[in-house]
Amino acid sequence: LRFWDIDSSVVKVSVPGGGKALTAMCISDASCVVGCADGAVRLLDGRDGKGVVAVSVKGKGHAGIVSDVTWLDTDATMASGGLDGAVRVWDMRAFGTPVHTVNQVHGKNARSLALCSGMVDKKQLLLSAGEDGHVQRIEFVKG
């Protein structure tokens, strides 16, 4: 990944992405989460080009391509959606295994294509857009 200075059109930092095809990305002040074609979710540290600092545990990511990733709140929690039809919620402080998994969000054999999150009435909202043409609201209890 390359982070560019928009004003000067100069690459400020190059960050190694882990050598896998990247299919989704979301950034925060100091880090970047990427979804990968191999089903893994990777946490990258963009400061000084450090690169991959954490990877989802093999078999705990998605079974297939990660279609989207989004931050849920500051730098603590994020979600990933996959072509396997699942949405996973990750605690970035203990990254590796998802803290919540919702399988078949859009029904059997329908894929989660895009995610969106935000605060509504002081509650965290997570939405998944699927190939079924519907948007599903995903609720979970933060522990």
Side-chain angles (χ1 to χ4, degrees):
L1 297 175
R2 291 190 178 120
F3 292 89
W4 295 76
D5 180 297
I6 294 172
D7 295 326
S8 66
S9 298
V10 172
V11 174
K12 289 295 188 179
V13 178
S14 287
V15 180
K20 302 296 180 182
L22 305 180
T23 57
M25 176 176 66
C26 62
I27 63 171
S28 68
D29 288 340
S31 60
C32 177
V33 173
V34 294
C36 302
D38 65 356
V41 177
R42 290 176 170 78
L43 176 63
L44 309 179
D45 187 337
R47 297 171 292 190
D48 300 323
K50 292 182 181 179
V52 177
V53 294
V55 179
S56 57
V57 174
K58 189 170 178 101
K60 299 295 183 179
H62 291 272
I65 295 171
V66 176
S67 56
D68 204 3
V69 291
T70 187
W71 290 108
L72 295 179
D73 54 28
T74 53
D75 289 338
T77 311
M78 58 83 56
S80 61
L83 298 186
D84 59 1
V87 171
R88 290 170 170 44
V89 176
W90 306 83
D91 182 338
M92 302 313 289
R93 296 163 294 199
F95 189 67
T97 302
V99 293
H100 299 286
T101 298
V102 181
N103 291 308
Q104 297 183 359
V105 171
H106 294 275
K108 189 174 182 177
N109 300 322
R111 302 179 287 190
S112 173
L113 300 177
L115 297 175
C116 178
S117 68
M119 297 297 287
V120 176
D121 296 327
K122 298 183 182 179
K123 293 182 181 179
Q124 184 68 50
L125 178 66
L126 176 60
L127 302 173
S128 172
E131 73 176 345
D132 61 351
H134 292 94
V135 174
Q136 298 291 338
R137 180 179 181 151
I138 301 164
E139 297 185 28
F140 58 92
V141 177
K142 292 171 76 172

